[in-house]
Every structure is written in structure tokens, then in C-alpha cells.
Amino acid sequence: EPEVTQTPSHQVTQMGQEVILRCVPISNHLYFYWYRQILGQKVEFLVSFYNNEISEKSEIFDDQFSVERPDGSNFTLKIRSTKLEDSAMYFCASSGVRGAYNEQFFGPGTRLTVL
Amino acid sequence: RKEVEQDPGPFNVPEGATVAFNCTYSNSASQSFFWYRQDCRKEPKLLMSVYSSGNEDGRFTAQLNRASQYISLLIRDSKLSDSATYLCVVNQAGTALIFGKGTTLSVSS
């Protein structure tokens, strides 16, 4: 069964450093997403991406964040200068269609720890 | 006002029990509705989409009441493996999924 994969599974970084989280969406999917989940809290939407551009973003997704699809398979989230409050689980998701019932499938996540 | 609200639980039930979870959402323009399941420190996994007419998948039944902005999930004949957090999720006009905080279920033998 096709699945979303993410690397690394755990990233530890110092405050102020840049991190890049990587995702390989399901191969025939066209829509890609990043979510985060701070420990003990709900899953929160960050950004969606389609046709090589951002289609929607939340207020969390400020100038410190950027996304890219550098090739035909990878989808990345970059955090330019990490803060302590960026520590969270970051989930990548993908879906094949947009609109109603765009069932999104999640990767296993990258646990980011900012020290 | 929270966008998606769920009773956090925990719900502690014996194997074989029937358990129901409820969820309310605040945005009447919400277009699609889902239940996801999340095991501890794992990713959310789609359990089922929720359709206006209600739908069933084996032991799981989901209902939607658009007038009351209310979604439910019924689990019959609970198994130990059903122990998890159940996330109520809505999609509004765009691409973002809006998650509730989840309801924790613990099934014991």
C-alpha cells in the first residue's frame, strides 16, 4: 500500500539554527500539506501546496517557514531560525484531489526538538 | 470559540462494549468531515469519512447532523486494538483540515 514517508524521524537542533524536514508524498498525489502537533495538543495545519505554489497557509506559517518541491518526489519544510516553541511533531500529508472529501494521508512524522 | 470540540475522555470500557463519541464544529460552512485515529506518538490515520446520510464501516458508524453542527462515531463490540485517540476533523472551504483535540479510548480485557 502506498504511503507517505518522512525523514528524519527525529531532529535535534539548537535554537536559531535552520532545519529542513523532508517528505516523500504518495506518488500519484497532487496536493501536499504540512501539519504540526505540539506535545499534548491538537494537530494544527501549517500549509498546503499544489502545482508548485502555496495554496493556503495558517497564521503559524510565518516568514520563518518555507516549503519547496525540489524535484518530482520530495516535499520539504524549512524553518529558517528555530525557536524553542517550534519543538513539535511535524506531519506531512498528501491527497489526490482537492475540495470535499480530500482524504489526506499522513506520514509518520518528524519529531523536532529545539534546545 | 473552538472550531472543533470533543470530549477529551478518557473513555474506559471493557472489551465488547459499545462506545459513542461526539463532536461539534463551529463553522457552518464546513464541507467535509472525517474521523481519524491516532495512536500514541504516531501519525493520524483516516478511519472514515462522514457523509450526510451517515455511513457504516464494519463495527464503526458515523453520523452527521449539519443543522446541529454535530458529528458522532459509534464503535460496537470494542476490541483491545481500538484503544487510541479518536480525532474529529472538518474541512472548511479550503484545503486545511481542522482537528479536534481528540477523545481517548481505552479498552480493557
Side-chain angles (χ1 to χ4, degrees):
Chain A
E1 186 176 325
E3 57 184 21
V4 177
T5 59
Q6 291 185 242
T7 54
S9 57
H10 191 187
Q11 173 94 45
V12 181
T13 190
Q14 295 290 327
M15 191 169 56
Q17 295 296 303
E18 174 183 287
V19 294
I20 298 176
L21 310 183
R22 291 182 167 79
C23 168
V24 178
I26 293 172
S27 64
N28 62 345
H29 281 183
L30 301 175
Y31 297 87
F32 315 116
Y33 314 85
W34 284 101
Y35 292 81
R36 79 171 186 191
Q37 187 175 29
I38 294 170
L39 188 64
Q41 298 189 25
K42 64 181 180 179
V43 177
E44 299 174 290
F45 170 76
L46 293 178
V47 66
S48 60
F49 192 86
Y50 168 70
N51 200 25
N52 281 317
E53 60 183 29
I54 290 173
S55 49
E56 189 177 352
K57 62 182 181 178
S58 71
E59 61 275 8
I60 302 169
F61 194 87
D62 61 21
D63 291 343
Q64 294 296 317
F65 292 89
S66 62
V67 289
E68 193 178 32
R69 188 154 163 81
D71 54 44
S73 59
N74 288 286
F75 178 50
T76 63
L77 174 69
K78 182 193 290 186
I79 308 175
R80 252 180 285 283
S81 177
T82 50
K83 308 185 199 60
L84 294 176
E85 55 265 35
D86 293 327
S87 294
M89 195 75 156
Y90 288 81
F91 294 109
C92 174
S94 69
S95 68
V97 296
R98 181 193 159 88
Y101 296 102
N102 63 329
E103 295 174 342
Q104 298 181 19
F105 297 91
F106 285 73
T110 293
R111 180 169 302 282
L112 176 65
T113 302
V114 182
L115 303 175
Chain B
R1 184 178 175 186
K2 292 180 184 175
E3 291 180 311
V4 178
E5 286 202 64
Q6 296 181 248
D7 180 345
F11 283 59
N12 298 304
V13 302
E15 274 186 292
T18 295
V19 61
F21 304 135
N22 304 317
C23 164
T24 57
Y25 60 94
S26 60
N27 189 334
S28 59
S30 297
Q31 296 183 348
S32 49
F33 311 89
F34 310 90
W35 285 100
Y36 278 74
R37 166 195 171 127
Q38 187 174 31
D39 292 287
C40 189
R41 294 180 175 253
K42 301 282 191 184
E43 75 273 25
K45 290 190 175 175
L46 179 65
L47 182 65
M48 58 198 302
S49 301
V50 187
Y51 304 116
S52 295
S53 54
N55 48 301
E56 187 174 309
D57 183 2
R59 298 181 294 108
F60 300 85
T61 301
Q63 297 280 349
L64 168 64
N65 184 323
R66 284 187 185 268
S68 303
Q69 295 178 204
Y70 171 94
I71 308 161
S72 66
L73 176 69
L74 184 77
I75 305 175
R76 287 181 299 278
D77 189 23
S78 300
K79 312 286 185 200
L80 294 175
S81 56
D82 293 334
S83 297
T85 297
Y86 289 84
L87 308 176
C88 179
V89 183
V90 307
N91 174 264
Q92 295 168 353
T95 53
L97 294 182
I98 309 299
F99 284 77
K101 203 170 173 187
T103 299
T104 300
L105 173 65
S106 177
V107 182
S108 55
S109 57

